[in-house]
DNA sequence: TTTAATATATGATATTTACATATATGTGCA
DNA sequence: TGCACATATATGTAAATATCATATATTAAA
């Protein structure tokens, strides 16, 4: 999800990610899915979209999973697949469960910051909203 | 706000930003403050912490303000200061007000994704929470 | 005169994301 | 057989963003 800006000084257009993205938000989403049952990258891609509302770049997802294994939050093993290429199946670890818990806690704080901004916005633009 | 990870394969430690950060979240916070009255970088730094709960790196803040001016969301003028160095005073523009509105809208979506994750977490770990 | 607070700015580096591309297996079909 | 397509994993490159350090200058206070 990207959108385009126009530079005011030289007129060139440039691209940026859509506003509101939480850095590495996909990681607790992956961990929550894996806490229910082990899975592999391609399947997680579909579940992330349908169950978590997260459209992810598949290349990024595979790199993220390898990094999460480096971090000790998941571990992986190859599993045979009769109806297609073999799969690298990921399982959540105790450390992964602990990070998931701390991530939910951090997101509570993020949520508070969002609400603080939205409340301030509502208060500042109350009259304009009333007139609409 | 940063925290430290330990690499599981080589034992090296490395640093990352704290979890839960929203990319460029400081920008709508700045715009909301400027929608109330024009201000300058150093003063915004203090207001961002006390009114918005956002501790910002001052170097990053000045660079962000210059970028926001490039984007057309604010404009700046130098103003004399008898009790210290002169200040670059920023004023919000109509485009800035429009971006603030769209940012609040995007953050509503971000908020939904956070709540979706937190609800899923609560449901998955209900028993553990009950036993604590 | 030296220190601290105020005030703005940039250089270097690390991290994360976006987009493109490479590789390989199994299924269906013409 | 040859081809397209879905499945499946992975990496190369570049852009965007954040972190940390540092530079510069003014005013006031110790």
């Amino acid at each position: 999800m990207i959108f385009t800006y126009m530079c005011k000084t030289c007129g060139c257009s440039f691209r940026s990610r859509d506003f509101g993205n939480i850095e590495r938000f996909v990681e607790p989403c992956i961990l929550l899915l894996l806490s229910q049952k082990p899975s592999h990258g391609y399947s997680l891609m579909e579940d992330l979209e349908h169950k978590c509302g997260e459209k992810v770049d598949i290349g990024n997802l595979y790199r993220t999973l390898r990094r999460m294994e480096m971090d000790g939050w998941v571990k992986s093993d190859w599993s045979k697949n009769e109806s297609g290429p073999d799969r690298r199946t990921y399982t959540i670890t105790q450390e992964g469960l602990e990070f998931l818990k701390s991530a939910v806690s951090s997101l509570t704080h993020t949520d508070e910051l969002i609400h603080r901004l939205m409340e301030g916005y509502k208060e500042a633009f109350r009259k304009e909203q009333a007139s609409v």
Side-chain angles (χ1 to χ4, degrees), chain A residues 92-110:
Chain A
I92 193 167
T93 65
Q94 184 59 37
E95 285 176 86
L97 286 166
E98 281 158 22
F99 173 74
L100 173 58
K101 188 176 182 178
S102 75
V104 168
S105 170
S106 293
L107 288 168
T108 304
H109 178 244
T110 304

Side-chain angles (χ1 to χ4, degrees), chain A residues 44-81:
Chain A
L44 285 167
M45 176 189 66
E46 297 173 327
D47 285 348
L48 284 166
E49 180 170 355
H50 300 123
K51 298 185 182 173
C52 304
E54 280 284 291
K55 272 186 190 171
V56 294
D57 176 83
I58 187 65
N60 276 345
L61 177 57
Y62 286 116
R63 225 178 320 225
T64 296
L65 286 166
R66 302 310 296 271
R67 185 179 56 197
M68 290 171 73
E69 187 164 23
M70 286 270 287
D71 290 340
W73 300 340
V74 296
K75 58 187 178 63
S76 71
D77 293 289
W78 285 98
S79 52
K80 282 269 166 243
N81 178 16

Side-chain angles (χ1 to χ4, degrees), chain A residues 82-130:
Chain A
E82 298 98 42
S83 66
D86 286 354
R87 296 155 169 169
R88 186 187 283 276
T89 298
Y90 286 91
T91 310
I92 193 167
T93 65
Q94 184 59 37
E95 285 176 86
L97 286 166
E98 281 158 22
F99 173 74
L100 173 58
K101 188 176 182 178
S102 75
V104 168
S105 170
S106 293
L107 288 168
T108 304
H109 178 244
T110 304
D111 194 48
E112 285 165 6
L113 293 179
I114 291 175
H115 280 267
R116 203 160 159 174
L117 178 74
M118 294 203 294
E119 287 306 309
Y121 181 79
K122 276 181 201 164
E123 197 164 323
F125 297 96
R126 206 173 355 174
K127 287 174 189 172
E128 293 182 35
Q129 288 187 317

